[in-house]
Amino acid sequence: MTTWANMNLQDSASPIMEQLIYFHDHALMIIIMILAVVIYMMVMLIMNNFNDRFLLEGQLIEVAWTIAPAIILIFIAIPSLRLLYLMDEINSPAVTLKTIGHQWYWSYEYSDFMKVEFDSYMIPQNESEVMNFRLLDVDNRAALPMNTFIRIIITATDVLHSWTVPSLGVKADATPGRLNQTSFLINRPGVLYGQCSEICGANHSFMPIVIESISTNKFINWISKLSG
């Protein structure tokens, strides 16, 4: 999750989020280079008083400043499109988790197992303990195995919601009457936090998402207790 005064993106917990961070840095470097050139040109125009009464046109520079932006856009577009296709790919998921958005809490169903479903409510401030994060922790965390391809199926029962976990690079709309799906692989253990990212009503800011990434053996034990 984010930390105090952190200006960067959250630490990644999936390969897709790593790629998103790399792409962010790649695009940022291009923007910084463009900014440096533009500032240099503006300063030179202000500081110098060059004039030439014979200068009527500059076809070479016009060709250059038409082609250069096109080349820069190609350097941004190719990695961007590659990432979009990677994020849309579903790689033979081992576990499927169905997520249902309500006003204002989430429900989870483990479709691969019998009768494993529960609601996940935010812990109220008056019931919160010292180790809980204010307005971010929930009473029932969704546990998922690490180093496993996971498919998330997302829908809603009332209004639009958005299931978002920044450190996984996942943001998918929960739309009533529609099933959206996305997939990811969690590459480290830990507790991952997110929130609804669609303005869904009065308590929109009070429906957090908490994913607990655990080993496969622990996940099997956990799911066995719930389904048993």
Side-chain angles (χ1 to χ4, degrees):
M1 65 180 296
T2 51
T3 52
W4 175 253
N6 183 20
M7 297 292 289
N8 302 309
L9 298 168
Q10 292 187 23
D11 292 339
S12 69
S14 72
I16 286 293
M17 189 58 194
E18 283 181 23
Q19 292 295 314
L20 285 168
I21 292 169
Y22 292 149
F23 176 69
H24 167 268
D25 296 344
H26 168 75
L28 196 64
M29 287 308 299
I30 292 172
I31 291 166
I32 288 168
M33 287 189 287
I34 293 168
L35 195 64
V37 172
V38 170
I39 290 170
Y40 172 77
M41 290 172 69
M42 289 175 69
V43 170
M44 288 299 102
L45 283 168
I46 293 165
M47 299 295 289
N48 296 306
N49 189 25
F50 296 133
N51 53 66
D52 187 343
R53 65 194 179 94
F54 297 110
L55 184 62
L56 298 175
E57 60 182 32
Q59 290 185 352
L60 185 63
I61 195 168
E62 286 176 6
V63 170
W65 70 40
T66 303
I67 293 172
I71 294 168
I72 291 167
L73 286 175
I74 289 167
F75 275 95
I76 295 172
I78 290 171
S80 173
L81 290 169
R82 171 180 163 273
L83 251 179
L84 281 172
Y85 279 102
L86 281 173
M87 291 170 72
D88 201 45
E89 192 72 27
I90 306 293
N91 295 301
S92 303
V95 177
T96 299
L97 175 65
K98 185 177 180 184
T99 304
I100 306 163
H102 305 269
Q103 287 182 313
W104 284 275
Y105 64 96
W106 297 97
S107 295
Y108 296 103
E109 296 177 8
Y110 289 79
S111 309
D112 305 309
F113 307 94
M114 294 292 289
K115 297 179 182 178
V116 180
E117 54 185 65
F118 53 85
D119 297 331
S120 181
Y121 287 88
M122 185 192 77
I123 298 173
Q125 291 186 63
N126 58 346
E127 297 176 16
S128 183
E129 298 179 11
V130 177
M131 69 285 294
N132 294 142
F133 288 108
R134 176 179 171 271
L135 305 181
L136 277 180
D137 259 307
V138 295
D139 54 359
N140 292 312
R141 294 173 174 176
L144 291 170
M146 58 181 283
N147 295 325
T148 305
F149 279 109
I150 296 155
R151 175 175 59 178
I152 301 286
I153 297 174
I154 301 153
T155 188
T157 57
D158 35 51
V159 297
L160 287 172
H161 300 280
S162 185
W163 198 82
T164 306
V165 182
S167 54
L168 291 176
V170 174
K171 181 176 183 178
D173 284 345
T175 310
R178 178 185 172 91
L179 293 177
N180 290 329
Q181 74 170 356
T182 186
S183 68
F184 56 82
L185 181 145
I186 309 173
N187 57 13
R188 63 180 172 88
V191 182
L192 314 171
Y193 293 88
Q195 288 177 297
C196 175
S197 296
E198 190 74 58
I199 299 173
C200 57
N203 292 332
H204 154 68
S205 53
F206 304 110
M207 50 185 300
I209 301 154
V210 183
I211 301 293
E212 189 166 352
S213 172
I214 54 179
S215 67
T216 306
N217 289 336
K218 286 182 178 178
F219 175 76
I220 291 167
N221 294 336
W222 178 80
I223 209 82
S224 300
K225 288 177 184 176
L226 285 181
S227 56

